[in-house]
């Protein structure tokens, strides 16, 4: 059997038909289960090997290791060294900046746990954190496969799963960034899988609703921006499972039980209500202050500007964020057309790519922008086609595409903010190309024949 046919059969979950069965007992795993594990292990090993051999775990040492996890790394260091959940911008000039709610706690706590075992800002900690990313990104490949299979058919699921496993753009954050995107994307993709299972199959309903609430609690504690999609996701399931209202209430109780300790901690520390994170006012100013052009003005950020850092440390986070937020509102109010223009720019940047610094080689930047934009176009066109054909969950995906970027349009934007949507972009892009009319004969084909 030619090796290409063997490889194609293997990637589809089957075995070599010439392979002789050597076991008397039947296999436990079905072809479907074997395929899932193949996608997972290939995705994981590709990421892990590249991350290790390319030395992606060797973080830059500038600014006292700040690029090792940025604010999450600083908070983790404070937790491990006994200063509590604090000091997101501490450096050699300002050793401690006080308690914080700048980030939700899930990822900083994960980093702190690794620091506790493998050391603060060590190569071992970096490798372990990126290896965890590799596991989660590989798990996302399996979720992408299932979303595609359930919504668009086995062929689309197969293509989507292997694309996520092997396409470099989908693995970049897992192998390079010590940040929450990979965790959030894995959680979000699997909560979509769970929603699809719950809507299609009413078995194990109580257990699934409980898991639904737990997973959304974890998402909220990782990246609270995604919570805008939670009501839509729950209602979409209930439209089909109307008898599950009591179970949905159970899921809501579990969700609230997950986030309440964090809210209570913020009330106890800051004596004010901070639902998930407390940096909105500061980010508004960084995205919409004087000189804004749709991008984050990092030069005015406390981690770069010494004056802002001293203000942050002396005023405390709550007062500093309130002050910066008031400044942003005043600036927006006096020049609303400029704000609306910045919002339109951020819409473009979210889907077409955020410009990188000028020190990047133009060919690298050009290739990055083309890849980023191409994926967005394919995902959006695939979504439009799925809506037109009434594909299962296409309406749910529409709300995800609409709601998840909304906050970023108004505040600030980075390329990584699109990552939680990328499993859906992968599925819908595969659906777009799998839906092409292969029966059509083009003029150049007629001439060649």
């Amino acid at each position: 059997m030619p090796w290409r046919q063997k490889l194609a059969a293997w990637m589809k979950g089957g075995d070599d038909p010439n392979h002789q069965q050597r076991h008397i007992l039947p296999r436990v795993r079905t072809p479907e289960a074997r395929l899932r594990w193949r996608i997972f292990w290939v995705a994981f090993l590709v990421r892990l090997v590249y991350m290790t051999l390319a030395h992606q775990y060797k973080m830059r040492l500038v600014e006292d290791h700040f690029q090792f996890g940025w604010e999450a790394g600083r908070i983790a260091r404070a937790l491990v060294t006994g200063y509590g959940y604090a000091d997101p911008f501490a450096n050699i000039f300002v050793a401690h900046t006080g308690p914080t709610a700048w980030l939700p706690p899930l990822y900083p706590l994960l980093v702190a746990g690794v620091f506790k075992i493998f050391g603060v800002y060590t190569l071992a900690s970096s490798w372990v954190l990126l290896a965890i990313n590799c596991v989660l990104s590989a798990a996302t490949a399996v979720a992408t496969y299932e979303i595609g299979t359930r919504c668009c058919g086995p062929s689309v699921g197969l293509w989507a799963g292997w694309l996520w496993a092997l396409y470099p753009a989908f693995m970049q954050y897992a192998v390079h960034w010590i940040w929450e995107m990979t965790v959030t994307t894995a959680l979000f993709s699997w909560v979509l899988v769970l929603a699809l299972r719950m809507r299609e199959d009413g078995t194990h309903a109580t257990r699934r609703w409980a898991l639904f609430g737990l997973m959304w609690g974890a998402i909220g504690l990782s990246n609270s921006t995604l919570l805008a999609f939670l009501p839509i996701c729950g209602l979409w399931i209930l439209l089909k499972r109307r008898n599950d209202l009591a179970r949905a209430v159970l899921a809501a109780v579990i969700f609230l039980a997950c986030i309440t300790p964090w809210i209570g901690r913020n009330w106890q520390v800051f004596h004010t209500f901070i639902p998930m994170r407390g940096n909105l006012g500061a980010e508004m100013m960084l995205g919409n202050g004087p000189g804004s052009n749709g991008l984050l003005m990092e030069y005015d950020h406390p981690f770069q500007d010494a004056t802002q850092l001293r203000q942050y440390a002396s005023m405390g986070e709550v007062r500093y964020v309130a002050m910066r937020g008031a400044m942003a509102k005043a600036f927006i109010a006096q020049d609303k057309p400029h704000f609306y223009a910045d919002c339109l720019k951020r819409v473009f940047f979210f889907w077409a790519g955020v410009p990188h610094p000028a020190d990047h080689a133009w060919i690298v930047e050009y290739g990055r922008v083309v890849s980023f934009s191409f994926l967005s176009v394919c995902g959006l066109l695939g979504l439009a086609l799925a809506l037109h054909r009434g594909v299962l969950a296409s309406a749910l995906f529409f709300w995800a595409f609409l709601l998840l970027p909304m906050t970023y349009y108004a505040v600030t934007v980075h390329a990584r903010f699109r990552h939680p949507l990328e499993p859906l972009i992968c599925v819908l892009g595969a659906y777009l190309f799998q839906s092409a009319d292969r029966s059509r004969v083009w003029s150049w084909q007629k001439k060649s024949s």
Side-chain angles (χ1 to χ4, degrees), residues 135-208:
V135 172
L136 293 171
S137 184
T140 303
V142 180
T144 303
Y145 161 75
E146 181 164 343
I147 293 169
T149 300
R150 285 182 177 272
C151 297
C152 307
S155 179
V156 172
L158 192 69
W159 273 98
W162 284 114
L163 274 172
W164 187 274
L166 299 172
Y167 189 55
F170 294 136
M171 65 179 76
Q172 59 176 322
Y173 299 116
V175 301
H176 185 67
W177 286 70
I178 297 178
W179 198 250
E180 53 74 25
M181 297 92 63
T182 303
V183 176
T184 302
T185 302
L187 288 169
F188 185 68
S189 62
W190 276 103
V191 88
L192 289 175
V193 170
L194 182 61
L196 288 166
R197 292 177 181 178
M198 292 166 69
R199 185 174 166 107
E200 295 177 19
D201 180 5
T203 60
H204 311 297
T206 301
R207 184 173 64 188
R208 286 177 170 177

Side-chain angles (χ1 to χ4, degrees), residues 5 53 62 66 83 99 208 220 222 241 255 330 332 352 376 379-380 385 442:
Q5 294 181 16
L53 297 183
V62 296
F66 189 69
Y83 291 95
R208 286 177 170 177
S222 177
R241 302 290 170 188
F255 168 75
I332 291 171
S376 290
L380 292 170
L385 181 62
W442 299 91

